[in-house]
């Protein structure tokens, strides 16, 4: 346990409020047993669904992502959860309604929609779209088809209240991973869960936003890890188990784990897949 986490009541039991490709919920035991024995502040600059963050509920954490819809969601959950719950109750589970809500971001007036409505839309689409896959096209428009689920749970009050409590002390930023250098200090801990290096030329999970996360970004992330090590900051990083990723982080502690991927549009791409966890401690 770290000093920040100890300041939160142990009664908090939070979990991700959205499904997210590459989410770490089923890898939590592997991640938690590799956490540093002690650290100051917790940082997670690829927050995604936040499985590890919500599970350990670190007090005063820094979380960020380049996806503005995702960051807006977490800010609304922190600042206005009651209004979000009220708006979520207005949604319908039908193809016609889904198509209408999905198309909102194509409208030039979308920027004028309230943060609460945008957050409500985000959760609704996440819970009712096909396979819970978040994907946008080159223009940044959400383009996943309707999932046709009988009873999608897009209004989970208990989960939202718990997440809101954990997020109360969080610093939430819409920014790239490099921005942590403006805040991180010696003794802090960073968990990186970036879009993975593709296992092949035809596989990729970089469509979380309209910006791609290519090898130039992977190299920049590795250099940031080197910088953090020089600063006395501990880091843990998840990535795919490839020759490139192992070569990139060969100077660090690299361990192999197996994860089940449930969010994938191709059924034959799901199942147990080898990943790596990298640490500098």
């Amino acid at each position: 346990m770290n000093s920040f986490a100890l300041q939160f009541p142990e009664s908090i039991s939070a979990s991700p409020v959205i499904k997210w490709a590459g989410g770490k919920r089923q890898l939590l035991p592997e991640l938690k047993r590799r956490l540093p024995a002690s650290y100051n502040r917790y940082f997670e600059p690829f927050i995604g669904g936040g499985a590890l963050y919500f599970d350990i509920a670190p007090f005063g954490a820094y979380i960020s992502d380049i996806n503005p819809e995702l960051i807006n969601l977490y800010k609304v959950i922190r600042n206005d959860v009651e209004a979000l719950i009220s708006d979520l109750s207005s949604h319908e589970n039908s193809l016609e309604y889904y198509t209408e809500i999905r198309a909102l971001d194509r409208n030039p007036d979308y920027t004028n929609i309230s943060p609460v409505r945008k957050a409500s839309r985000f959760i609704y689409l996440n819970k009712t779209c096909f396979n819970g896959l978040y994907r946008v096209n080159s223009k940044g428009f959400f383009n996943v088809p309707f999932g046709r689920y009988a009873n999608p749970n897009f209004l989970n009050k208990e989960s939202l209240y718990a997440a809101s409590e954990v997020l109360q002390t969080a610093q939430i930023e819409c920014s790239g991973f490099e921005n942590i250098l403006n805040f991180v200090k010696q003794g802090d801990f960073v968990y990186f869960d970036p879009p993975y290096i593709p296992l092949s030329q035809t596989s990729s999970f970089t469509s979380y936003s309209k910006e791609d996360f290519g090898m130039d970004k992977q190299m920049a992330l590795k250099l940031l890890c080197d910088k953090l090590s020089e600063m006395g900051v501990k880091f843990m990083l998840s990535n795919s188990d490839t020759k490139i990723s192992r070569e990139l982080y060969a100077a660090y502690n690299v361990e192999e784990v197996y994860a089940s991927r449930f969010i994938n549009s191709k059924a034959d791409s799901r199942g147990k897949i080898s990943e790596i966890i990298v640490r500098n401690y």
Side-chain angles (χ1 to χ4, degrees):
M1 296 288 288
N2 63 84
S3 58
F4 281 105
L6 285 173
Q7 296 179 52
F8 252 122
E10 294 184 2
S11 59
I12 295 180
S13 179
S15 59
V17 297
I18 55 169
K19 294 181 284 185
W20 202 253
K24 292 298 179 288
R25 192 179 308 201
Q26 50 92 29
L27 265 183
L28 278 177
E30 297 286 357
L31 295 173
K32 289 171 68 176
R33 73 184 184 88
R34 291 174 172 83
L35 288 172
S38 63
Y39 55 91
N40 294 328
R41 193 180 186 192
Y42 179 92
F43 287 75
E44 189 168 343
F46 298 93
I47 188 61
L52 181 61
Y53 167 72
F54 284 115
D55 187 86
I56 65 176
F59 190 94
Y62 172 105
I63 62 174
S64 65
D65 201 278
I66 61 170
N67 187 319
E69 295 278 358
L70 180 65
I71 292 305
N72 175 70
L73 170 66
Y74 288 135
K75 287 183 176 180
V76 169
I77 292 174
R78 180 189 63 187
N79 301 333
D80 211 352
V81 68
E82 293 290 356
L84 175 59
I85 288 171
S86 176
D87 198 281
L88 280 167
S89 65
S90 68
H91 291 303
E92 304 171 10
N93 181 35
S94 70
L95 173 59
E96 181 180 6
Y97 180 80
Y98 175 90
T99 303
E100 176 186 337
I101 295 299
R102 186 183 64 179
L104 287 177
D105 60 3
R106 275 79 168 168
N107 192 316
D109 292 332
Y110 183 67
T111 55
N112 298 324
I113 294 177
S114 72
V116 169
R117 185 60 174 171
K118 287 181 179 178
S120 174
R121 172 182 178 269
F122 190 97
I123 292 179
Y124 169 76
L125 292 177
N126 180 263
K127 298 297 186 180
T128 56
C129 74
F130 177 72
N131 213 31
L133 177 66
Y134 184 89
R135 184 186 65 205
V136 296
N137 61 22
S138 60
K139 295 181 179 180
F141 299 149
F142 188 81
N143 64 351
V144 183
F146 185 51
R148 300 184 185 276
Y149 303 117
N151 295 295
N153 185 17
F154 49 80
L155 178 51
N156 187 330
K157 294 182 181 181
E158 182 178 347
S159 176
L160 289 169
Y161 282 133
S164 181
E165 190 169 359
V166 173
L167 288 165
Q168 288 305 306
T169 66
Q171 178 181 350
I172 307 174
E173 301 284 347
C174 185
S175 62
F177 59 89
E178 303 96 333
N179 194 52
I180 65 171
L181 286 176
N182 294 318
F183 303 98
V184 73
K185 298 178 181 179
Q186 181 179 359
D188 290 340
F189 168 66
V190 184
Y191 172 54
F192 294 109
D193 185 23
Y196 279 12
I197 295 174
L199 295 174
S200 68
Q201 292 182 348
T202 58
S203 65
S204 178
F205 275 95
T206 61
S207 299
Y208 304 127
S209 70
K210 62 182 178 181
E211 294 84 11
D212 287 332
F213 199 90
M215 280 308 303
D216 57 333
K217 298 287 182 65
Q218 297 285 352
M219 286 297 301
L221 177 57
K222 189 270 178 182
L223 293 175
L224 175 59
C225 289
D226 294 342
K227 177 66 174 178
L228 294 177
S229 292
E230 294 172 2
M231 294 171 60
V233 175
K234 297 174 183 177
F235 79 82
M236 179 167 66
L237 176 144
S238 298
N239 214 316
S240 55
D241 188 358
T242 66
K243 181 181 179 181
I244 294 175
S245 56
R246 284 183 175 270
E247 289 176 349
L248 269 179
Y249 295 98
Y252 297 107
N253 179 12
V254 179
E255 296 177 282
E256 182 179 312
V257 295
Y258 285 88
S260 296
R261 290 188 177 173
F262 299 107
I263 300 179
N264 197 305
S265 58
K266 298 180 180 179
D268 59 1
S269 296
R270 302 173 195 148
K272 291 286 185 179
I273 296 178
S274 175
E275 300 185 2
I276 59 170
I277 296 177
V278 180
R279 292 179 293 158
N280 66 343
Y281 54 91

